[in-house]
Amino acid sequence: MTDTAADTADDRPQVDLHGAEATMLATLYGRALDARSPDPILGDTLSAETLDKINFDPTKTGLRPGDHYSVAMRAEFLDGWTREFLAGHPNAVVLHLGCGLDTRVWRVSPGPGVSWYDIDLPDVIKLRRELFGDRPGSTMIASSVTDPTWLDQVPRDRPVLMVAEGLVYYLTEADGHALLRRIAGGFRTGQMIFDGFSRLGVRLQKLNGAVTKAEATLHWGIDWPTELEAIDYRLKCRDAVGVFDASDFSTLTHRYQVLAAVGKTIPALSHLSTYYRLNF
């Protein structure tokens, strides 16, 4: 290697993930793009700083121009529900499932009484620990969310909030049902918040650039809140909000305003992606 090549070598950690794990790079990239935009929605500057710490090719994320809007709006909406729950339960346990490189715990900034757990696969947690380090009040657990044993590390005597952004549709229906049933049965009271695709959304997954680029596969489609309530008698759907109804599209580009208007008027599209909030 020449001196010039050595001087320009990139010593940042090389990130090369595949499947559902790789989609976390698309969401990190989307939040960073939003943070660097003139009028950010989420304003997640930590995600922008984190993006600069890793070596990966953003073109491999499959994000198209403007896709960062949807990434930022989804995070902002679920952050709002998270803050709402913690405001009423200052001593809660938070289970942040499939956390990836999400900076939610910093964005939400829970109080000192909250015990926050970030759960993801070992390779992801290893990278997360390298990039973020430890944060007081939060604990990382290296495990598949479908492995029932990770719950043994979590206190069960307090209200619990399960947050799962960009996760449940990568689970099989059987695994998803088992996960929700396990959490509902493991705590006295709590709430689950997550986003889901309809069955049509799962069938249209080839149109999702981030999914296809990552060579990931969507499995579990949800059409009605009653399907979730039927998983366990303790589950009651408090809210089911379509993504086109959840955020203000009026300040976005004309293309996204038209997309939202069409999405709201066609039933099949209005329920293509939904935010769910379940009480138990």
Side-chain angles (χ1 to χ4, degrees):
M1 180 182 293
T2 66
D3 290 342
T4 301
D7 291 341
T8 58
D10 193 335
D11 59 359
R12 296 174 300 172
Q14 177 71 43
V15 180
D16 187 19
L17 301 173
H18 301 280
E21 290 177 70
T23 60
M24 73 178 187
L25 298 175
T27 53
L28 176 68
Y29 183 47
R31 292 193 303 270
L33 288 177
D34 170 71
R36 290 167 175 162
S37 67
D39 298 300
I41 296 169
L42 189 65
D44 185 357
T45 56
L46 180 56
S47 281
E49 294 168 9
T50 303
L51 184 70
D52 290 337
K53 294 180 181 179
I54 61 177
N55 181 5
F56 89 109
D57 182 359
T59 63
K60 292 184 177 180
T61 63
L63 258 65
R64 298 158 298 190
D67 281 355
H68 67 278
Y69 292 137
S70 59
V71 172
M73 287 189 294
R74 181 179 70 177
E76 180 191 43
F77 189 85
L78 294 180
D79 281 359
W81 274 353
T82 302
R83 292 188 183 97
E84 185 178 326
F85 184 86
L86 295 181
H89 304 85
N91 67 330
V93 171
V94 178
L95 308 177
H96 189 202
L97 305 186
C99 59
L101 295 178
D102 198 325
T103 60
R104 173 162 283 116
V105 67
W106 284 276
R107 297 195 305 267
V108 171
S109 189
V114 172
S115 295
W116 187 289
Y117 293 85
D118 288 308
I119 301 100
D120 214 318
L121 295 169
D123 286 348
V124 175
I125 292 298
K126 179 182 178 182
L127 178 61
R128 183 180 180 87
R129 196 180 302 279
E130 181 178 355
L131 294 173
F132 295 131
D134 293 320
R135 181 187 183 279
S138 62
T139 302
M140 300 183 210
I141 299 178
S143 173
S144 167
V145 298
T146 61
D147 182 345
T149 61
W150 66 263
L151 269 173
D152 296 338
Q153 304 178 51
V154 177
R156 309 286 189 95
D157 59 344
R158 292 145 61 188
V160 66
L161 174 67
M162 184 202 88
V163 186
E165 179 181 348
L167 171 70
V168 301
Y169 27 76
Y170 292 108
L171 305 177
T172 65
E173 184 170 336
D175 281 343
H177 284 204
L179 174 63
L180 299 195
R181 193 178 296 117
R182 193 178 301 124
I183 292 174
F187 298 85
R188 290 203 304 262
T189 184
Q191 200 169 90
M192 302 175 181
I193 59 177
F194 55 91
D195 59 307
F197 281 126
S198 66
R199 289 180 176 82
L200 175 60
V202 170
R203 289 198 297 271
L204 296 176
Q205 63 184 281
K206 294 299 183 183
L207 301 180
N208 188 318
V211 173
T212 55
K213 279 286 188 179
E215 299 179 349
T217 303
L218 306 182
H219 297 284
W220 184 18
I222 304 164
D223 284 338
W224 305 105
T226 50
E227 298 174 30
L228 296 169
E229 294 178 332
I231 294 172
D232 188 282
Y233 71 93
R234 288 165 281 228
L235 296 177
K236 304 299 178 187
C237 185
R238 174 173 171 176
D239 294 290
V241 183
V243 295
F244 295 118
D245 293 315
S247 302
D248 180 12
F249 285 76
S250 64
T251 60
L252 304 187
T253 63
H254 179 69
R255 171 178 170 245
Y256 271 80
Q257 291 180 39
V258 171
L259 177 64
V262 172
K264 288 180 180 180
T265 56
I266 301 176
L269 295 181
S270 65
H271 296 98
L272 205 65
S273 182
T274 301
Y275 301 123
Y276 293 103
R277 177 159 57 169
L278 308 179
N279 289 336
F280 62 94

